[in-house]
Amino acid sequence: MNELDVLDVLHVFCAADGDHGNTLGVVRDARAFPDPASRQALAAELGFSETVFVDDPERGVVDIYTPGLRLPFAGHPLVGAAWLLDLEAVNPPAGEVWARSDGEFTWITARAEWAPPRTLRQCASPAEVDALPAPPPGEGWLYAWAWEDEAAGRVRARAFPRRDDGIVEDEATGAAALLLTDRLGRALNITQGRGSQILTAPGPDGTIEIGGRVRLATPVPAARRISLMR
C-alpha cells in the first residue's frame, strides 16, 4: 500500500473551466489512521485546509480535520466526499447530509446551525474585498464579502481562518457560504478566493443546498506526497 492507494486529492468548488477550487485530501480507507491523534497528525502533515477520513464508504461515515482541529461539519469536504464516493448521503458528526448531482455540480443539503461560527463582514465593493491583506488584522474566522450584482445574487468573497495553523486564506468555504445564505435568505452565486465558485439555494424547510464542481487532482501533487506505510 502507498499514498496513491488510499489518498485522493480533490479540488472542490472549481470554476467553470475547472481551475481553482479548494484542495481536499480524502483518505478512503481510514483504518490506516484509527484514532484522532493519528488523523490529526496526517491532516497537519498534508497541510490542506481539510482532510476527510472515510470510516464507512457505503454509509458515508466521515471524519473531518483541519491541520489543527477536528470539525463536526464542513462544506467543501462533504461536497468532495459525496462526489468521490458517489453517495446520496454522507454522515459527519453533525448529522446526515443528503447529496445529489446534476451532472455538473455536486450538492449537499445542510443546516446553518451545523456550521462553525464565522464573522461575516460585508464590504462596500468587490475591490475592497480584493484589497484585504492576507490575513486581515484581528482574531477569529473572518468571511469578507461584497455584492458584485445584488439583483442577480452574485457575491465576491474571501475567507481567513486566522487560527495559526498554516492556512492563511481558505480558497472556497462551504460552511461560510451556508451562513451567508442563511443570513440573506436567498440563493447566491459566490466567487471566492482566486476564482472558485460556490452556489447556494435555501430550501423550504430551513435547509440550504450548497453546490460546486469537483475535480480529481492526478497525480497527487509531489509536494504533498507522503508515505502511509506506518
Side-chain angles (χ1 to χ4, degrees):
M1 180 186 296
N2 59 43
E3 71 274 10
L4 298 182
D5 291 325
V6 298
L7 176 67
D8 288 289
V9 179
L10 311 180
H11 299 301
V12 183
F13 298 130
C14 297
D17 59 5
D19 286 344
H20 309 302
N22 204 351
T23 306
L24 173 69
V26 182
V27 179
R28 284 174 288 140
D29 186 350
R31 291 175 298 178
F33 299 90
D35 57 83
S38 63
R39 295 180 181 191
Q40 189 66 78
L42 177 62
E45 186 174 355
L46 287 171
F48 302 140
S49 59
E50 275 102 14
T51 298
V52 174
F53 296 83
V54 181
D55 287 310
D56 187 332
E58 294 183 359
R59 295 175 52 240
V61 178
V62 297
D63 202 11
I64 307 168
Y65 288 78
T66 76
L69 62 122
R70 183 175 184 249
L71 298 176
F73 172 87
H76 99 273
L78 297 176
V79 170
W83 177 87
L84 182 67
L85 301 174
D86 191 23
L87 294 173
E88 294 182 353
V90 283
N91 287 275
E96 188 172 49
V97 175
W98 292 101
R100 67 178 179 89
S101 174
D102 62 14
E104 181 177 8
F105 295 92
T106 297
W107 298 83
I108 62 169
T109 299
R111 295 188 174 276
E113 58 264 30
W114 293 347
R118 304 279 190 264
T119 297
L120 307 179
R121 179 191 299 171
Q122 184 176 4
C123 297
S125 67
E128 184 177 328
V129 175
D130 291 338
L132 290 171
E139 298 181 355
W141 224 106
L142 175 66
Y143 195 66
W145 69 279
W147 289 115
E148 285 188 331
D149 184 335
E150 185 171 357
R154 292 176 50 209
V155 167
R156 173 72 178 119
R158 293 172 67 194
F160 306 97
R162 297 193 299 191
R163 60 188 175 210
D164 195 28
D165 63 0
I167 307 299
V168 176
E169 181 170 352
D170 208 0
E171 173 62 25
T173 314
L178 173 68
L179 291 173
L180 183 61
T181 303
D182 182 64
R183 174 179 291 185
L184 298 176
R186 57 179 298 186
L188 300 176
N189 183 342
I190 301 170
T191 300
Q192 186 179 323
R194 297 168 300 158
S196 300
Q197 184 181 24
I198 306 170
L199 301 182
T200 68
D205 57 353
T207 61
I208 294 171
E209 277 200 308
I210 309 165
R213 302 178 189 87
V214 185
R215 301 289 184 268
L216 182 65
T218 305
V220 175
R224 298 303 190 192
R225 291 192 180 189
I226 59 168
S227 173
L228 297 184
M229 293 297 293
R230 302 299 185 184

